[in-house]
């Protein structure tokens, strides 16, 4: 089985996420958030492979191993992402202390992928680079990283409405995806703020 260059770049970018977090983070405890982040990625990958089995079931019946190599698309990405959120939600109290760290690792992987895609494969779009770089800068500079998610993904939604929605790690996203993520992040911000006011 020949490895696709895009897959290799995705793997490198995902490894760059924890590496950048280790360098930039001021947290004393770095191993636990990295371990939990790796666990989430593993869960997502398993759901992603399972989703490919659902969307490519005819191919699965004829050539079971070929499903792993068969090019996947946005549908599998959506299915895996939704399934992962639902699965990991039951462990939200475990993840809560490390959410900020997760965003830094994700943003680092995204900007690494967009740069590698442009420099190594001479592929991708400038919109993808701008989105990933903006998200990374906001996550690094803003202490409340949920706001970074809201502003970055709202910008991606605006770009989708005016010109072209950015790809995410090489996957073509519908503007509705960015709308949903932006609304979810804003809802979490308001709930968190409401909880603090209620508690105070």
């Amino acid at each position: 089985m020949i490895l696709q260059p895009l897959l290799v770049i995705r793997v490198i970018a995902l490894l760059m996420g924890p590496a950048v977090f280790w360098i930039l983070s001021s947290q004393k405890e770095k191993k636990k958030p990295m371990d939990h982040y790796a666990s989430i990625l593993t869960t997502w990958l398993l759901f992603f492979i399972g989703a490919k089995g659902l969307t490519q079931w005819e191919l699965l019946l004829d050539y079971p191993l070929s499903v792993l190599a068969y090019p996947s698309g946005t549908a599998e990405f959506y299915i895996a992402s939704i399934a992962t959120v639902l699965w990991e939600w039951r462990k939200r109290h475990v993840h809560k202390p490390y959410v900020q760290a997760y965003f830094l690792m994700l943003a680092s992987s995204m900007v690494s992928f967009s740069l590698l895609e442009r420099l190594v494969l001479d592929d991708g779009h400038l919109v993808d680079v701008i989105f990933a770089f903006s998200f990374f800068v906001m996550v690094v500079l803003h202490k409340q990283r949920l706001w970074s998610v809201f502003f970055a993904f709202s910008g991606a939604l605006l770009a989708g409405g005016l010109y072209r929605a950015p790809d995410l790690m090489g996957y073509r996203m519908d503007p509705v995806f960015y709308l949903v993520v932006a609304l979810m992040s804003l809802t979490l911000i308001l709930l968190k703020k409401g909880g603090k006011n209620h508690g105070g």
Side-chain angles (χ1 to χ4, degrees), residues 46-56 75-77 79-80:
L46 292 174
F47 280 127
F48 188 79
I49 293 173
K52 290 178 76 171
L54 290 175
T55 58
Q56 306 294 335
E76 292 89 351
F77 186 98
I79 293 170

Side-chain angles (χ1 to χ4, degrees), residues 61-72:
L61 293 176
D62 295 330
Y63 308 101
L65 292 179
S66 65
V67 173
L68 297 176
Y70 192 83
S72 51

Side-chain angles (χ1 to χ4, degrees), residues 15-164:
L15 293 175
M16 287 294 294
V20 173
F21 165 73
W22 187 271
I23 295 170
L24 296 183
S25 177
S26 59
Q27 290 183 215
K28 293 182 179 179
E29 176 58 68
K30 297 183 180 182
K31 188 176 184 302
K32 281 188 178 179
M34 290 172 66
D35 288 344
H36 288 308
Y37 185 71
S39 175
I40 293 172
L41 287 180
T42 302
T43 301
W44 184 90
L45 179 61
L46 292 174
F47 280 127
F48 188 79
I49 293 173
K52 290 178 76 171
L54 290 175
T55 58
Q56 306 294 335
W57 63 271
E58 293 180 345
L59 186 65
L60 178 66
L61 293 176
D62 295 330
Y63 308 101
L65 292 179
S66 65
V67 173
L68 297 176
Y70 192 83
S72 51
T74 306
E76 292 89 351
F77 186 98
Y78 290 152
I79 293 170
S81 298
I82 294 170
T84 301
V85 169
L86 294 175
W87 180 265
E88 295 294 337
W89 182 254
R90 61 195 178 89
K91 297 187 289 184
R92 58 189 178 278
H93 298 298
V94 175
H95 295 303
K96 188 175 180 180
Y98 309 118
V99 170
Q100 307 286 25
Y102 297 162
F103 287 142
L104 179 55
M105 285 185 269
L106 176 62
S108 301
S109 292
M110 286 169 56
V111 76
S112 297
F113 176 86
S114 63
L115 291 175
L116 286 170
E117 187 181 32
R118 292 289 292 176
L119 297 174
V120 178
L121 299 183
D122 194 25
D123 199 1
H125 197 281
L126 185 59
V127 172
D128 308 338
V129 179
I130 293 173
F131 166 62
F133 187 74
S134 300
F135 183 37
F136 175 76
V137 170
M138 283 189 279
V139 164
V140 170
L141 297 181
H142 208 298
K143 292 182 179 180
Q144 177 49 266
R145 287 168 178 158
L146 271 173
W147 278 114
S148 301
V149 176
F150 172 72
F151 286 121
F153 281 70
S154 295
L157 175 63
L158 181 62
L162 296 177
Y163 176 55
R164 176 188 183 277

